[in-house]
Amino acid sequence: MMRRWIPAIVGIALVVLMAVLPLLNLSLPGILPTPTYMPGTLALLSLCMVFAALALSYNLLLGSAGMLSFGHALYFGAGAYGLGIGLEHFGVPLFPGIFIALIGGMIIAFLTGAVAMRVSGIPFAMVTLAFAQAGSVMVRRNSDITGGEEGLGLATEQVPDFLIGVVNTRNLYWFTLVVLVIVYLVVLWVDTSRLGHLARATRENEQRVRVLGLRPYRAKLTVFVIAAVLASLAGVAYMLLQSGTVPRAVSADLTITILVMVVLGGVGFRWGAIVGGVLYTLLDQRLTVLAGSEAIAGLPDFLRIPLSEPLFLLGVLFILVVMFLPGGIAGTIDAWWRRRRGEKARLSLRTIDDADAEAEAPVEVRA
């Protein structure tokens, strides 16, 4: 019975640790730029949590429902731009602006999802890609509303003072932590609910689900909309953290990045999506610093040129993961753990069989 509660206990302990991290003076040279109480490290960790939440929302789409989307960033951008437009052009306060952004992301997801789900597989991925490209064009062309190529800044006069400025990075860190916890709890609820079971059954065999008299289209669309709203919530946190957003937030390029995060962590594993999002973001940010270091500059050209490109290093890492860890980090650990438990179970059964054999052996009677 106690074993069932171990994941929950570990999760709560990690959340508590992350919550008190800004109050501690911990240093991880080479991983974190400064001690954990400094704004630079808190901003980096906050960005990691934003993309971990985004990867979690995409894992709900791909891992639970089996829907490969190339347009998930559209809803992330809808949250970021929706909040920015609400604050800048409508003058609403922060929390009504967040609500408007989430409702906008939900409406866009419902309309685009209802159309895209008329097909499945690769055609579905292509339709979502088309919607993402259309959203990217609209963001770039409507510079009066979205800021165009230069992006949209955060209207700070509508935001509470405790969420503005470098001195309040700690508060923004806690805000992104709350967002990550909310996203995780919603994903956990969906995965363990009847909706999640139906979505996984549809992923495995949609025809059989129809034969049973169930409605796979409605289940898939509901999961699609929930994942999109969670992505919009991550976009809201990104907008506040970065004090603005840029057109890349709605591009298909960002969706590919999210897909890499999920594959790196392990498709279908909630904690794997978090690990993938955090690890990719850390590498993306820290490899940029490494690329400009004197150690790299002093290498011969055939080494210096590729090693000075962070995307090259990330690409090599992704290839290695796909080749040697096909289940991602979480999938590999889970497979190892299952093998270990299986070996223990086999040893236990073998011990029981040996004991039964000894008990059933005839007793030799001597005169």
Side-chain angles (χ1 to χ4, degrees):
M1 181 65 68
M2 185 63 182
R3 186 176 296 177
R4 292 179 54 191
W5 294 100
I6 290 178
I9 294 172
V10 172
I12 292 172
L14 287 174
V15 171
V16 172
L17 174 62
M18 293 298 293
V20 301
L21 203 59
L23 307 177
L24 304 177
N25 184 7
L26 300 178
S27 297
L28 294 175
I31 300 177
L32 300 178
T34 58
T36 52
Y37 69 92
M38 298 291 288
T41 291
L42 292 179
L44 175 59
L45 293 176
S46 299
L47 190 64
C48 289
M49 289 189 288
V50 168
F51 283 110
L54 184 56
L56 259 176
S57 69
Y58 191 78
N59 186 66
L60 177 63
L61 198 63
L62 179 62
S64 299
M67 292 183 282
L68 175 63
S69 170
F70 288 153
H72 198 62
L74 175 63
Y75 315 109
F76 177 77
Y81 275 100
L83 177 60
I85 292 171
L87 299 180
E88 177 75 22
H89 298 284
F90 296 101
V92 297
L94 175 63
F95 292 103
I98 293 176
F99 179 75
I100 292 172
L102 297 181
I103 294 297
M106 182 178 68
I107 294 173
I108 294 172
F110 179 79
L111 295 177
T112 56
V115 174
M117 285 182 193
R118 298 298 176 181
V119 293
S120 60
I122 298 301
F124 169 81
M126 293 299 102
V127 173
T128 57
L129 174 62
F131 280 125
Q133 292 298 98
S136 180
V137 170
M138 291 180 64
V139 166
R140 286 182 165 88
R141 294 294 177 87
N142 293 279
S143 57
D144 294 340
I145 300 175
T146 63
E149 295 287 350
E150 296 181 0
L152 181 64
L154 181 68
T156 55
E157 60 272 8
Q158 304 298 333
V159 180
D161 293 338
F162 65 87
L163 291 176
I164 301 174
V166 177
V167 294
N168 291 311
T169 306
R170 182 183 298 175
N171 297 330
L172 285 168
Y173 170 90
W174 283 324
F175 179 82
T176 55
L177 178 60
V178 170
V179 167
L180 177 58
V181 171
I182 291 173
V183 170
Y184 181 86
L185 292 177
V186 172
V187 171
L188 176 63
W189 170 73
V190 172
D191 280 342
T192 55
S193 67
R194 183 176 181 272
L195 173 63
H197 295 312
L198 182 56
R200 285 191 292 275
T202 303
R203 178 194 65 195
E204 298 299 327
N205 194 324
E206 186 170 343
Q207 187 63 36
R208 181 175 295 178
V209 172
R210 286 199 183 97
V211 170
L212 293 174
L214 302 174
R215 298 180 178 180
Y217 175 84
R218 182 178 296 179
K220 289 167 63 177
L221 181 59
T222 303
V223 171
F224 186 92
V225 172
I226 292 174
V229 172
L230 296 179
S232 298
L233 181 59
V236 165
Y238 179 82
M239 182 71 177
L240 290 172
L241 181 64
Q242 300 293 98
S243 296
T245 187
V246 292
R248 185 178 181 271
V250 297
S251 68
D253 177 50
L254 179 59
T255 300
I256 300 301
T257 301
I258 305 166
L259 176 60
V260 171
M261 293 177 184
V262 174
V263 173
L264 178 64
V267 178
F269 295 90
R270 289 184 295 272
W271 69 271
I274 295 175
V275 170
V278 171
L279 182 60
Y280 184 96
T281 307
L282 279 175
L283 289 173
D284 185 43
Q285 298 294 317
R286 300 304 294 161
L287 287 177
T288 303
V289 177
L290 176 64
S293 65
E294 295 181 359
I296 299 296
L299 294 174
D301 288 346
F302 73 94
L303 289 176
R304 177 179 56 80
I305 294 175
L307 292 180
S308 61
E309 295 292 336
L311 287 179
F312 171 81
L313 299 176
L314 287 171
V316 171
L317 174 64
F318 182 69
I319 292 172
L320 293 175
V321 168
V322 171
M323 290 180 62
F324 299 105
L325 303 175
I329 296 171
T332 302
I333 294 175
D334 181 71
W336 171 81
W337 179 251
R338 287 177 183 274
R339 285 197 302 269
R340 185 181 178 189
R341 290 181 62 185
E343 290 173 0
K344 287 184 177 180
R346 284 194 295 270
L347 288 174
S348 299
L349 289 174
R350 187 177 301 170
T351 302
I352 294 173
D353 290 341
D354 292 343
D356 291 342
E358 292 178 1
E360 293 174 0
V363 179
E364 183 179 351
V365 180
R366 295 184 178 181

